[in-house]
Amino acid sequence: MKTLAPIAAALVLALSGPAVAAPKEPVMTSAYRTVQVDGLSIFYREAGPRDAPTILLLHGFPSSSRMYQPLLDRLADRYHLVAPDFPGFGHSDAPAPSDFAYSFDHLAAVMDDFTQALGLRHYVLFVQDYGGPVGFRLALAHPERVQALVVQNAVAHDEGLGPLWTARRAYWADRPANEAALRANLLSFEATRQRHIGTSPHPERYDPDLWTDEFAFLSRPGQIDIQSDLFYDYRTNVASYPKWQAWLRATQPATLVVWGRYDPSFAVAGAEAYRRDVPDAEVHLLDAGHFALDEAPGEIAALTARFLAAKGIGPAAR
């Protein structure tokens, strides 16, 4: 029987085929945390080693930190990524407007205190949509913290505001007379869907869960009042464009602009305008919409990693 054992073992090995290596574990999976800031529970996603360069990811409307999950999944092997939900969004607290002033100044103040609560002394600012106004306020308040700026469909110039902004400007000029039109223009199911698809020639590439989930969020009790108040305050962002442009010209931050060309709200001219203030800005127009990570997550992750590595922030891109 002893003489048959090696033969039997060899037969079993032959029949089972070549050995297959176990899949590698990711460097670090995302963590989903909350922290108390200014009396609010602020939810955030975090991934990557904390001693690596930090990327602070500020989300848009009506999404949340969830929009950045594709970047956390792709860049956590070389960066420390932190993506908070603003008050009133996602899983963060959403107090009633009677208890919390929904303005971009206030959101930025909470995010400033959030970064201090987490001990973030330096970071790359990655901003999209509403994240732009919040991020620029942080940058002007603490320019020494900003190592680089990555802009994904976030406007800082008038020409970036497309035709849809006509009704929105009317709301700023006369809120009571235009409240109903604004809510249809900004908060309806069709508007929520259109924000993702825009003018894309490939609507079949978009997961309908994206806008269905966002509309469910917008339909929660109190949300229509929160978002109406915050959007009324958006007029302060447009008024602040000259200040933001002056900061860009004065500091010349390392700037990467990645812009979905099918965005129904923010015109492509808004991407090119950054070069007026930062001539060395790197600008890429993508075959994607307002939420470009819907359709081009790999491309945006690769562009970001390559850009930051070229600026000496983080390891060489692979």
Side-chain angles (χ1 to χ4, degrees), residues 59-139:
H59 67 80
F61 167 85
S63 66
S64 68
S65 60
R66 176 183 173 182
M67 67 169 284
Y68 285 122
Q69 192 65 51
L71 290 185
L72 271 67
D73 294 340
R74 289 167 171 81
L75 296 178
D77 61 336
R78 66 198 84 172
Y79 294 103
H80 173 222
L81 298 107
V82 177
D85 288 350
F86 300 147
F89 291 78
H91 297 290
S92 288
D93 279 350
S98 58
D99 300 321
F100 182 93
Y102 283 94
S103 70
F104 284 90
D105 281 348
H106 202 176
L107 294 190
V110 174
M111 288 297 102
D112 188 355
D113 290 344
F114 168 82
T115 63
Q116 294 185 54
L118 268 60
L120 305 181
R121 295 183 176 86
H122 301 94
Y123 41 74
V124 174
L125 265 178
F126 194 118
V127 299
Q128 194 267 346
D129 189 60
Y130 277 14
V134 175
F136 275 113
R137 283 169 169 81
L138 291 180

Side-chain angles (χ1 to χ4, degrees), residues 13-29:
L13 181 62
L15 290 174
S16 64
V20 177
K24 292 183 178 180
E25 290 293 319
V27 174
M28 178 180 176
T29 57

Side-chain angles (χ1 to χ4, degrees), residues 30-304:
S30 298
Y32 307 95
R33 312 181 192 276
T34 59
V35 62
Q36 289 295 309
V37 179
D38 300 345
L40 300 170
S41 176
I42 299 298
F43 173 88
Y44 65 102
R45 297 163 196 260
E46 184 176 24
R50 293 185 178 180
D51 59 352
T54 295
I55 303 178
L56 178 62
L57 303 128
L58 301 177
H59 67 80
F61 167 85
S63 66
S64 68
S65 60
R66 176 183 173 182
M67 67 169 284
Y68 285 122
Q69 192 65 51
L71 290 185
L72 271 67
D73 294 340
R74 289 167 171 81
L75 296 178
D77 61 336
R78 66 198 84 172
Y79 294 103
H80 173 222
L81 298 107
V82 177
D85 288 350
F86 300 147
F89 291 78
H91 297 290
S92 288
D93 279 350
S98 58
D99 300 321
F100 182 93
Y102 283 94
S103 70
F104 284 90
D105 281 348
H106 202 176
L107 294 190
V110 174
M111 288 297 102
D112 188 355
D113 290 344
F114 168 82
T115 63
Q116 294 185 54
L118 268 60
L120 305 181
R121 295 183 176 86
H122 301 94
Y123 41 74
V124 174
L125 265 178
F126 194 118
V127 299
Q128 194 267 346
D129 189 60
Y130 277 14
V134 175
F136 275 113
R137 283 169 169 81
L138 291 180
L140 267 65
H142 304 287
E144 74 284 355
R145 296 181 186 174
V146 181
Q147 295 177 289
L149 176 66
V150 182
V151 176
Q152 194 260 286
N153 293 68
V155 172
H157 305 82
D158 277 312
E159 55 264 57
L161 301 179
L164 285 176
W165 290 81
T166 301
R168 299 170 186 181
R169 290 180 190 272
Y171 175 66
W172 301 335
D174 187 347
R175 180 173 182 174
N178 293 280
E179 186 97 30
L182 182 281
R183 293 186 179 200
N185 178 275
L186 198 69
L187 304 174
S188 68
F189 179 82
E190 183 52 36
T192 307
R193 174 182 179 274
Q194 192 62 23
R195 253 187 301 275
H196 285 270
I197 294 176
T199 59
S200 173
H202 301 291
E204 74 281 357
R205 295 179 182 175
Y206 289 81
D207 183 350
D209 286 350
L210 293 164
W211 53 85
T212 302
D213 288 352
E214 285 176 4
F215 186 70
F217 156 72
L218 287 173
S219 301
R220 294 190 307 190
Q223 268 299 315
I224 195 163
D225 296 324
I226 288 172
Q227 298 305 332
S228 296
D229 275 7
L230 189 56
F231 192 77
Y232 183 65
D233 190 68
Y234 198 97
R235 70 196 192 285
T236 66
N237 300 329
V238 179
S240 296
Y241 287 173
K243 285 196 302 185
W244 302 349
Q245 295 161 18
W247 176 81
L248 289 167
R249 289 193 298 271
T251 61
Q252 294 295 301
T255 301
L256 169 66
V257 180
V258 288
W259 203 276
R261 68 174 78 244
Y262 304 129
D263 190 334
S265 295
F266 292 159
V268 166
E272 298 294 345
Y274 280 94
R275 283 200 177 111
R276 285 207 309 267
D277 304 314
V278 185
D280 290 337
E282 187 176 318
V283 178
H284 297 269
L285 301 181
L286 310 180
D287 288 327
H290 181 69
F291 296 101
L293 284 165
D294 288 353
E295 198 166 355
E299 186 176 1
I300 292 173
L303 286 169
T304 301

